[in-house]
Amino acid sequence: MRKSYKFRLYPTKEQEIVLVKTLDVCRYIYNEFLADRRNAYDRCNKGLTTFDQINQVKYLEFKTKVFSQVKQDVLRRLGKSFDAFFRRCRSGGTAGYPRFKGKDRYNSFTYPQSGFKIEDNKLKLSKIGKIKIKQHREIEGKVKTCSIKRDTNQWYAVFSVDMEKNPEKVNPNTSIGIDVGLKSCVTLSNGEQYDSPAYYRKSEKCLAVQQKRLSRKKKGSNNRNKQRQKVAKVHRKIRNQRLDFNHKLSRAIVNRFDRTVFEDLSIRNMVKNHHLAKSIKDVAWGQLIQMTKSKAEEAGKYVELVNPCNTSQKCSNCGNIVKKGLAVRVHKCPECGLELDRDVNAAINILNLCTVGTTDRACGVTDVGLGYEAGSHPF
């Protein structure tokens, strides 16, 4: 099992200049060898492989010294881009030919095997030096790669770790069905609901002010570049807030339940509705589900995705289909007389569709002590 650890870096001004120059070298290599691949196919009708280009990159010399394996990893990254391009061509999707990377569009480089080491609260990088690192927790497992990433004016080190042993699977004694939505971020089959913080919606006014100022700056000027970074910082704050919320919520779910059941939603198709797209992206259902899956895997627990067809229309008590629009928030069954919140009804139906283990599926309640009031956050 693979796991990632992300730590903040605090380079000096001199070290930051070296990091930026290293990114520029990597971007130059990426663009040059992308052009080589394109020209080889256009002129000779011949494709170049990643191995062919790795043998060529060692002959390039730069003023900024870059670790050899970092340069080789750039070409593996380019090779993956072409592999994905050909895969999309075969599957009949949008091809998306690999693009040249402009300035500030190439923001990471990777040490794939060696050339990095943490010692005395500093990250030692080959050809760069020792950079102060905020290691807020211990790294478990065997470190495989180290990626250095730039996010506006901040730098991070991301370690990919190979966990030596997979955790033993637990007996799924406690289960929960979860219906994701816009009014409530998640609705549990036991009746609990947690409202979405809607961080983007709350920051729209601030973002509009910064974007308006950006539109007034002269293109190519230093003031425009400074303002562009201010806009990026607002987006970064929104992204980090959403990330923090989903991390805490997914952790609370995994800690409380042995098995979690979500709908297998096609979010890419759902955001084609321009009336709901902004709200759907703001709640980030896909991110929450992915985080829950990764945490459950680490804990030896289960996450199951079920078919979302008619989960909101079907009565969780008798199975009768009760048609209702999005504006109708209460489920009322004319057959059995069941009346409850439509999202709770959907969550119970989602739980009833799961296939692993046993639980009291009729009401969707497990033997977990809840301890939280509806509408509050479980963290």
Side-chain angles (χ1 to χ4, degrees):
M1 184 178 70
R2 279 293 181 98
K3 185 177 179 180
S4 295
Y5 291 85
K6 186 176 181 180
F7 304 112
R8 177 79 182 273
L9 294 177
Y10 295 90
T12 62
K13 290 184 178 180
E14 292 77 12
Q15 290 173 335
E16 188 169 5
I17 292 174
V18 177
L19 289 171
V20 172
K21 289 183 177 180
T22 302
L23 283 176
D24 288 339
V25 170
C26 293
R27 183 174 65 89
Y28 176 83
I29 293 173
Y30 186 95
N31 289 339
E32 281 295 306
F33 284 87
L34 172 57
D36 285 348
R37 287 204 181 206
R38 187 184 63 177
N39 294 336
Y41 185 80
D42 289 343
R43 298 171 184 175
C44 306
N45 198 24
K46 177 182 177 183
L48 297 177
T49 66
T50 301
F51 182 76
D52 294 334
Q53 294 190 315
I54 287 177
N55 288 333
Q56 298 173 6
V57 73
K58 60 185 178 183
Y59 299 110
L60 293 179
E61 294 292 337
F62 302 96
K63 292 182 179 179
T64 302
K65 298 297 181 181
V66 178
F67 190 52
S68 59
Q69 290 187 9
V70 172
K71 293 188 286 187
Q72 293 173 11
D73 185 78
V74 174
L75 299 177
R76 294 190 184 96
R77 180 173 174 176
L78 176 61
K80 290 177 182 178
S81 297
F82 273 96
D83 290 341
F85 165 69
F86 291 126
R87 182 177 64 250
R88 291 190 294 268
C89 289
R90 289 191 296 268
S91 63
T94 303
Y97 189 83
R99 297 187 296 177
F100 291 100
K101 302 294 184 180
K103 189 177 181 181
D104 296 327
R105 293 289 183 177
Y106 196 100
N107 293 311
S108 67
F109 59 91
T110 300
Y111 289 81
Q113 293 177 340
S114 60
F116 59 92
K117 184 179 180 182
I118 298 179
E119 53 183 19
D120 300 328
N121 294 323
K122 291 188 177 181
L123 176 62
K124 184 178 180 181
L125 299 174
S126 179
K127 307 297 183 180
I128 295 177
K130 295 182 178 180
I131 303 176
K132 182 180 177 182
I133 184 173
K134 183 66 175 180
Q135 187 179 356
H136 54 272
R137 57 174 174 166
E138 292 296 324
I139 299 178
E140 300 177 358
K142 184 178 180 181
V143 179
K144 305 296 289 185
T145 66
C146 173
S147 297
I148 308 301
K149 294 189 176 183
R150 176 180 62 185
D151 187 354
T152 315
N153 61 339
Q154 295 180 358
W155 295 85
Y156 296 90
V158 181
F159 298 93
S160 179
V161 176
D162 187 10
M163 307 299 288
E164 297 178 355
K165 295 182 180 179
N166 292 326
E168 295 183 0
K169 289 293 184 179
V170 301
N171 187 25
N173 295 321
T174 57
S175 302
I176 198 72
I178 297 181
D179 177 64
V180 295
L182 299 179
K183 183 179 179 181
S184 298
C185 177
V186 294
T187 300
L188 278 58
S189 56
N190 55 29
E192 295 183 34
Q193 292 183 318
Y194 304 102
D195 296 333
S196 172
Y199 293 114
Y200 183 83
R201 293 286 188 182
K202 293 178 181 179
S203 301
E204 275 188 308
K205 290 184 179 180
C206 177
L207 185 60
V209 170
Q210 298 299 334
Q211 289 177 327
K212 190 173 182 179
R213 292 175 181 174
L214 177 63
S215 66
R216 292 172 175 172
K217 305 297 182 183
K218 183 179 178 181
K219 290 186 177 181
S221 65
N222 289 332
N223 285 336
R224 183 180 177 86
N225 185 52
K226 293 177 183 178
Q227 186 60 36
R228 182 185 57 80
Q229 291 192 5
K230 291 181 180 180
V231 174
K233 288 178 182 178
V234 177
H235 281 292
R236 182 178 64 195
K237 181 179 179 180
I238 297 170
R239 184 171 64 251
N240 289 340
Q241 287 176 321
R242 187 184 296 125
L243 194 69
D244 179 70
F245 175 82
N246 284 335
H247 264 304
K248 291 177 179 178
L249 180 56
S250 60
R251 170 52 60 194
I253 292 171
V254 171
N255 286 348
R256 294 173 60 192
F257 305 103
D258 297 333
R259 176 184 55 186
T260 306
V261 188
F262 289 99
E263 293 176 294
D264 188 10
L265 298 172
S266 179
I267 300 175
R268 180 175 297 180
N269 291 333
M270 295 176 71
V271 296
K272 292 179 181 179
N273 184 335
H274 299 298
H275 298 287
L276 301 176
K278 185 184 293 186
S279 297
I280 291 174
K281 290 186 176 182
D282 199 11
V283 293
W285 298 329
Q287 186 183 78
L288 174 63
I289 294 173
Q290 187 59 41
M291 287 181 176
T292 306
K293 289 172 67 176
S294 63
K295 289 178 173 60
E297 182 182 3
E298 185 180 359
K301 298 184 178 181
Y302 302 88
V303 172
E304 187 174 350
L305 302 179
V306 298
N307 189 347
C309 182
N310 284 333
T311 53
S312 295
Q313 311 295 335
K314 184 179 178 181
C315 178
S316 58
N317 187 39
C318 65
N320 181 46
I321 300 297
V322 183
K323 294 292 183 179
K324 47 188 174 291
L326 288 175
V328 180
R329 305 311 305 170
V330 178
H331 169 79
K332 296 180 180 179
C333 181
E335 295 290 332
C336 64
L338 178 66
E339 183 174 340
L340 75 167
D341 186 279
R342 67 172 289 159
D343 293 336
V344 176
N345 177 72
I348 297 174
N349 284 327
I350 291 168
L351 179 61
N352 291 340
L353 290 171
C354 63
T355 59
V356 182
T358 59
T359 187
D360 185 3
R361 297 184 182 178
C363 62
V365 178
T366 65
D367 58 353
V368 174
L370 302 180
Y372 302 101
E373 296 180 0
S376 64
H377 291 158
F379 40 80

